[in-house]
Amino acid sequence: MSSFHTQRTIDAIWRMESAKLIARLTRMVRDVALAEDLAQDALVIALERWPQSGIPDNPGAWLMTTAKRRAIDYMRRTKLRDQKYVEMAHSMDLYSEEDFDHVFEEEVGDDLLRLIFMTCHPALSQDARVALTLRLLCGLTTHEIARSFLVAESTIAQRIVRAKRTLGTEKAFFEVPAGEELKDRLSAVLEVIYLMFNEGYSATSGDQWTRPLLCQEALRLGRVLAEITPYESEVHGLVALMEIQSSRLRTRVDAEGELVLLMDQNRSRWDQLLIRRGLAALDRSYKLGRPLGPYSLQAAITACHAQAPTAEETEWPRIAALYEALFRAAPSPIVELNRAVALSMAFGPAVGLQIIDILNTEPALKEYHLLPSVRGDLLVKLGRCAEAQTEFERAASMTRNERERKMLLKRAANCRPEAAK
């Protein structure tokens, strides 16, 4: 394998494994900043060794073992937690090669959930929680996060450093809280899990449309949270949303790696087990008898798609009504953009375009690439191809996903007069 391909493989492995490493190390050293440093140390060692020795059969376990040894070395040097040494002596042979498969199979799920509750500490601002989540749990670089926030990379770096310092100052516990404290943090935790899932479902950067393993991890954490909080309707709503969305993952991309739009997907390949699980979770949310919150409403929208035998049989008027209810529950220009799409499908592209043109003046959507993309799609349906070409080109200049950029440029090219001949 060439050094270039080895580097790309290591990058991919790191994105998949870094959150588990940091979660496990945080449990060991009780310091999220130190845990990230130790995990990075393991990555540096891998970057030095793997190009010569080859990538191990179980790279995640290799990284976990290396990082844990670094943590133990650190605790020895600083003489922290003598009792920890006793515990580790009983559980780990420090001087021989460890059984990598055994390490890899250790339960890390609870550690990840604890890490999420830790990063949702009330002492952190919303921006800090989001940045820390993208960094620690989604494995994004500060550069990638900065592009998502449309701010300077130094700003994001400082935000993350301050957040980790705050967690240390507040002596944030690495645990799932109980009682009122759990309820107080629950909305932030749901937002973090939703953020993880969305990054997996539609990667903000890189050369892949999706990161399925990140979706699976977010869904698994949602299921665990639903067991802990069975009477919280929005937890069941979020699980329902992720279950149903996950059912479509394998149909979102074709054999060539290109995106397949929802209306063009092969519905016979949607995972029916995940759909049934999602509908059951949505039913649990309904039965709690509370007004539907944003996650339950989004789940109800996805359920409309999942229950339509064909794209043509989709209940678009109901979806538009659900988006209107979602906008009342959680006002957002992005929700309004989705409502415009639903209205265009129900009543024609001209109806949707009226709303889109109003949203064009919305400052929050100034750099949001899906706005010109949707507008271009509606213009194509209205036969205004020259205008659509401009919109697709503008959308392509905004997106950070390479595959999406190429797709938008292709759509722009298809709008040229010579392409129609």
Side-chain angles (χ1 to χ4, degrees):
M1 185 183 293
S2 69
S3 59
F4 172 75
H5 286 100
T6 300
Q7 178 66 56
R8 290 193 61 179
T9 302
I10 295 173
D11 288 345
I13 291 168
W14 176 251
R15 283 182 182 262
M16 289 187 288
E17 303 296 338
S18 59
K20 297 175 186 177
L21 287 171
I22 294 166
R24 175 56 58 88
L25 292 165
T26 301
R27 179 159 67 85
M28 291 178 67
V29 301
R30 304 290 166 168
D31 183 328
V32 69
L34 175 58
E36 187 181 13
D37 289 342
L38 292 168
Q40 289 283 349
D41 287 347
L43 174 63
V44 169
I45 294 171
L47 288 168
E48 291 172 350
R49 294 186 185 177
W50 290 359
Q52 283 74 42
S53 64
I55 293 174
D57 291 338
N58 200 330
W62 192 101
L63 287 168
M64 187 74 79
T65 300
T66 303
K68 286 169 74 174
R69 286 175 176 164
R70 300 286 291 185
I72 292 164
D73 288 343
Y74 172 83
M75 288 191 288
R76 279 178 168 166
R77 289 196 308 270
T78 54
K79 300 184 183 303
L80 293 177
R81 296 183 178 91
D82 289 344
Q83 183 57 38
K84 276 291 178 184
Y85 303 144
V86 176
E87 293 172 8
M88 296 306 300
H90 287 298
S91 64
M92 182 178 181
D93 183 352
L94 304 183
Y95 303 104
S96 64
E97 286 302 314
E98 192 151 356
D99 181 347
F100 285 161
D101 290 333
H102 172 70
V103 174
F104 187 71
E105 289 167 4
E106 287 181 12
E107 178 57 48
V108 296
D110 288 345
D111 284 348
L112 280 171
L113 194 57
R114 291 185 188 104
L115 182 60
I116 288 174
F117 271 96
M118 190 178 191
T119 60
C120 290
H121 194 281
L124 298 183
S125 68
Q126 167 68 6
D127 286 347
R129 287 198 300 262
V130 171
L132 202 56
T133 296
L134 290 172
R135 174 68 176 167
L136 299 182
L137 297 167
C138 300
L140 299 189
T141 65
T142 52
H143 176 66
E144 290 168 333
I145 300 169
R147 293 184 68 181
S148 297
F149 276 88
L150 303 175
V151 298
E153 185 173 349
S154 59
T155 300
I156 292 298
Q158 291 169 9
R159 192 175 294 172
I160 291 171
V161 168
R162 284 196 299 268
K164 289 189 286 190
R165 186 182 300 131
T166 298
L167 291 177
T169 302
E170 294 289 330
K171 294 182 170 55
F173 292 117
F174 185 67
E175 63 182 13
V176 176
E180 290 303 314
E181 189 178 355
L182 188 150
K183 288 185 178 181
D184 290 344
R185 292 196 204 181
L186 191 57
S187 63
V189 170
L190 290 177
E191 186 175 3
V192 163
I193 294 175
Y194 183 50
L195 188 66
M196 282 181 65
F197 183 86
N198 278 346
E199 177 59 30
Y201 194 75
S202 184
T204 56
S205 61
D207 56 3
Q208 297 297 324
W209 286 105
T210 63
R211 297 173 59 190
L213 291 178
L214 198 57
C215 288
Q216 291 172 20
E217 194 56 50
L219 177 53
R220 191 189 62 73
L221 291 171
R223 290 169 179 165
V224 172
L225 193 58
E227 292 178 6
I228 297 171
T229 58
Y231 301 110
E232 295 291 340
S233 60
E234 276 293 80
V235 176
H236 295 299
L238 177 58
V239 171
L241 174 60
M242 295 190 294
E243 297 273 15
I244 298 173
Q245 292 279 67
S246 294
S247 74
R248 305 200 297 253
L249 266 173
R250 64 186 177 190
T251 64
R252 291 196 74 228
V253 179
D254 64 19
E256 286 71 43
E258 297 304 320
L259 183 69
V260 181
L261 298 176
L262 174 62
M263 302 300 286
D264 299 324
Q265 289 173 12
N266 181 353
R267 297 182 179 222
S268 67
R269 294 186 61 228
W270 286 359
D271 190 318
Q272 294 303 310
L273 175 60
L274 287 173
I275 290 173
R276 288 194 297 272
R277 293 184 67 142
L279 295 176
L282 183 58
D283 188 55
R284 285 192 287 274
S285 177
Y286 289 153
K287 286 181 177 177
L288 288 170
R290 296 169 193 164
L292 294 185
Y295 298 116
S296 297
L297 286 166
Q298 289 179 77
I301 292 167
T302 62
C304 289
H305 293 295
Q307 293 174 307
T310 65
E312 292 72 26
E313 295 174 86
T314 305
E315 293 186 70
W316 286 108
R318 173 169 167 73
I319 291 175
L322 286 167
Y323 271 120
E324 186 172 346
L326 178 59
F327 185 81
R328 289 198 298 270
S332 160
I334 294 177
V335 173
E336 189 68 352
L337 175 61
N338 284 310
R339 188 174 78 91
V341 173
L343 287 170
S344 73
M345 297 299 292
F347 306 112
V351 175
L353 189 61
Q354 289 179 339
I355 299 174
I356 298 292
D357 286 343
I358 295 172
L359 289 174
N360 255 334
T361 62
E362 174 60 54
L365 296 181
K366 184 179 179 182
E367 300 296 331
Y368 189 57
H369 72 283
L370 290 182
L371 178 61
S373 176
V374 169
R375 191 170 190 273
D377 186 57
L378 296 181
L379 289 169
V380 167
K381 292 177 180 178
L382 291 169
R384 296 160 60 179
C385 292
E387 294 172 77
Q389 179 184 342
T390 300
E391 293 297 320
F392 288 135
E393 289 172 348
R394 187 158 71 95
S397 70
M398 295 178 181
T399 184
R400 296 173 294 280
N401 186 291
E402 184 59 24
R403 285 190 179 273
E404 189 169 26
R405 188 184 70 83
K406 290 178 180 177
M407 182 197 73
L408 288 165
L409 289 176
K410 182 178 179 181
R411 296 198 71 186
N414 289 338
C415 291
R416 294 174 186 146
E418 59 269 23
K421 295 179 182 178

